[in-house]
Amino acid sequence: MSGPASVVALSRGQARRVALAAQGFADRPHARPTMRTLARTVERTGVLQIDSVNVLQRAHFMPLYSRMGPYDVDLLRRAAEEPPRRVVEYWAHVAAFMPVDLWPAMRFRMEAHRTRSVTEGGLAVTHRDLLDSLLAEIAARGPSTSRDLDDGLPREKVHWGWNWSETKRALEHLFFVGDLAVAGRNSAFERLYDLPERVLPASIAHAPALTAEEAARELVGRAARSHGVATDVCLADYYRLGLASTRAAIADLVESGDLVPARVEGWERPAYLHAEAARPRRVAARALLSPFDPVVWERQRAEHLFGFHYRIEIYVPEAKRRYGYYVLPFLLGDRIVGRVDLKADRAGRVLRVLGSYAEEDAPADTAAELAAELRRLAAWLGLDDVEVADRGDLAGPLAAEVGA
């Protein structure tokens, strides 16, 4: 155990580069990403948030593209569905893919769900027979969707959540408490539920659960590695932990030397630098970031690091949107220099840029670099062309570059 560490001072630019390097944006690019590339990338991000919106590309595919460049999306399917599985679904940040070895660290969350369901008279009490029958049927038939099981156990739909059936509610409960795991997704993006011992490696499925304190230390440590430098709020948000347990874990990690207290220019809250975080002088990134990318998902952090105010407007009425429905920040070097509202027109085989906007002090080459990135993205999505609408202050220069 080491003693208290002195405080490291970082400029805002240094903190940005630390954060981007921790997320993999300083890694050497690969001409043809492999499963090893994917595994290293997921180790950097820690989680890949899952979202069903498919106006451009599903959210979990995009952070991999942003870091690895064009890759075969079947890599992620294989990592999630074929032995030896590298990733598995769980509520790690929200619904997300996470490395399989995080399962034991999530068991405290599973048990908390189970206890709450019992003490609050939830499904564990009100639908015990249904839960048991579903477990027995899945044990007998193997990976199954809710619709598969609804066919065998016809039940009246109830107005709950997304109009889920009682079967779907029960399956999600069993998933939350760890009695079921996700073996994959079908072509309709529906979860295939199965027993954890048939999804996870035996060493993981049967590993002892971490205590809540051990899990917090593990998760905060991983969040710190993925962030590079972060406040307690950032570290708590990464795996959705409480602030009290996060701060206790931070104290332990500072004492052990894994975290170093830091002061970042312009940040009001104390920060913590991971002891092994790279501190590059330059980050030469060029990437479009999903709205669910870890670099920007904690919006206040994005403002502190990049001076970038960002809100997703999917649920905002169209007439009230400022930038558009599905807007991606554009990262160039170590700064976010613009944003674009994108739509993949698959029928027309066109990547449509519905709006394009430059940030204040965006460099002169922003339009040219963004045009190159849009062409690369279109090719990865299997689209033949890029078309730029005239909405936004960057639209004119970007259209000229795309058409050049």
Side-chain angles (χ1 to χ4, degrees):
M1 302 283 282
S2 59
S6 57
V7 177
V8 174
L10 298 173
S11 69
R12 192 188 302 264
Q14 287 173 320
R16 276 199 306 273
R17 292 188 287 275
V18 167
L20 290 170
Q23 282 286 320
F25 285 101
D27 287 3
R28 181 171 59 89
H30 287 250
R32 186 176 180 180
T34 64
M35 186 63 78
R36 181 175 294 180
T37 318
L38 182 145
R40 188 185 69 238
T41 304
V42 173
E43 183 181 357
R44 297 276 200 275
T45 65
V47 289
L48 297 172
Q49 183 172 337
I50 297 170
D51 189 85
S52 61
V53 174
N54 199 22
V55 66
L56 179 70
Q57 175 60 288
R58 295 198 193 277
H60 42 287
F61 293 118
M62 281 301 299
L64 296 171
Y65 169 79
S66 299
R67 290 151 179 80
M68 302 190 321
Y71 72 101
D72 181 357
V73 296
D74 196 53
L75 279 176
L76 182 55
R77 184 200 63 77
R78 287 165 46 204
E81 299 181 15
E82 296 181 2
R85 284 181 169 87
R86 275 82 168 179
V87 297
V88 67
E89 287 192 38
Y90 192 63
W91 289 83
H93 176 72
V94 290
F97 289 110
M98 66 181 190
V100 292
D101 66 355
L102 261 188
W103 189 267
M106 292 294 165
R107 294 267 293 277
F108 85 99
R109 183 165 289 164
M110 298 171 189
E111 291 308 312
H113 281 303
R114 190 189 308 275
T115 300
R116 187 158 55 248
S117 185
V118 171
T119 59
E120 296 179 0
L123 292 183
V125 175
T126 61
H127 289 68
R128 187 69 259 171
D129 289 347
L130 174 59
L131 299 176
D132 291 342
S133 69
L134 288 170
L135 283 172
E137 184 157 354
I138 288 173
R141 68 183 289 166
S144 305
T145 68
S146 173
R147 283 196 299 166
D148 294 334
L149 297 165
D150 272 330
D151 289 342
L153 298 168
R155 299 182 186 277
E156 183 180 353
K157 289 274 187 178
V158 294
H159 292 286
W160 186 92
W162 293 273
N163 198 26
W164 284 354
S165 68
E166 289 190 355
T167 300
K168 175 63 173 177
R169 291 176 60 201
L171 289 168
E172 285 295 292
H173 168 82
L174 292 167
F175 172 50
F176 286 164
V177 303
D179 290 344
L180 290 177
V182 176
R185 298 265 185 163
N186 66 10
S187 59
F189 202 57
E190 296 171 312
R191 283 181 173 136
L192 289 158
Y193 302 91
D194 202 356
L195 303 180
E197 56 266 31
R198 296 200 297 228
V199 172
L200 299 163
S203 60
I204 300 296
H206 302 298
L210 303 185
T211 66
E213 292 76 17
E214 292 168 338
R217 181 184 168 101
E218 176 69 19
L219 294 173
V220 170
R222 292 199 187 210
R225 189 178 293 276
S226 293
H227 268 325
V229 61
T231 68
D232 54 355
V233 172
C234 299
L235 295 173
D237 178 72
Y238 212 83
Y239 291 104
R240 297 297 169 90
L241 299 169
L243 264 179
S245 59
T246 297
R247 288 168 177 160
I250 287 171
D252 286 347
L253 291 164
V254 169
E255 181 64 25
S256 66
D258 295 289
L259 294 184
V260 178
R263 184 176 64 255
V264 177
E265 175 191 8
W267 292 18
E268 294 180 0
R269 302 180 74 90
Y272 302 91
L273 176 73
H274 195 279
E276 297 177 5
R279 294 196 238 176
R281 292 179 177 273
R282 180 172 178 268
V283 172
R286 190 190 75 190
L288 288 160
L289 305 177
S290 158
F292 306 103
D293 193 291
V295 170
V296 294
W297 73 26
E298 212 293 308
R299 307 311 193 201
Q300 190 174 58
R301 176 178 171 84
E303 291 188 41
H304 288 162
L305 278 172
F306 299 99
F308 183 71
H309 183 270
Y310 186 42
R311 299 293 183 269
I312 189 166
E313 297 183 276
I314 288 174
Y315 305 110
V316 175
E318 184 174 1
K320 295 184 177 181
R321 291 180 194 140
R322 182 177 180 186
Y323 295 109
Y325 179 80
Y326 202 75
V327 176
L328 284 74
F330 180 47
L331 175 68
L332 186 62
D334 67 359
R335 295 172 54 205
I336 294 175
V337 300
R339 63 187 91 199
V340 282
D341 182 17
L342 299 182
K343 177 180 175 61
D345 179 351
R346 297 175 180 89
R349 301 186 64 82
V350 172
L351 177 61
R352 300 199 178 278
V353 185
L354 305 178
S356 44
Y357 307 85
E359 293 300 295
E360 187 177 353
D361 298 326
D365 61 349
T366 294
E369 293 287 353
L370 178 54
E373 184 55 38
L374 289 167
R375 291 191 200 98
R376 186 173 79 143
L377 175 62
W380 178 60
L381 295 174
L383 306 175
D384 299 329
D385 202 1
V386 177
E387 293 186 3
V388 181
D390 62 0
R391 181 160 56 86
D393 62 331
L394 193 56
L398 182 60
E401 291 290 346
V402 166

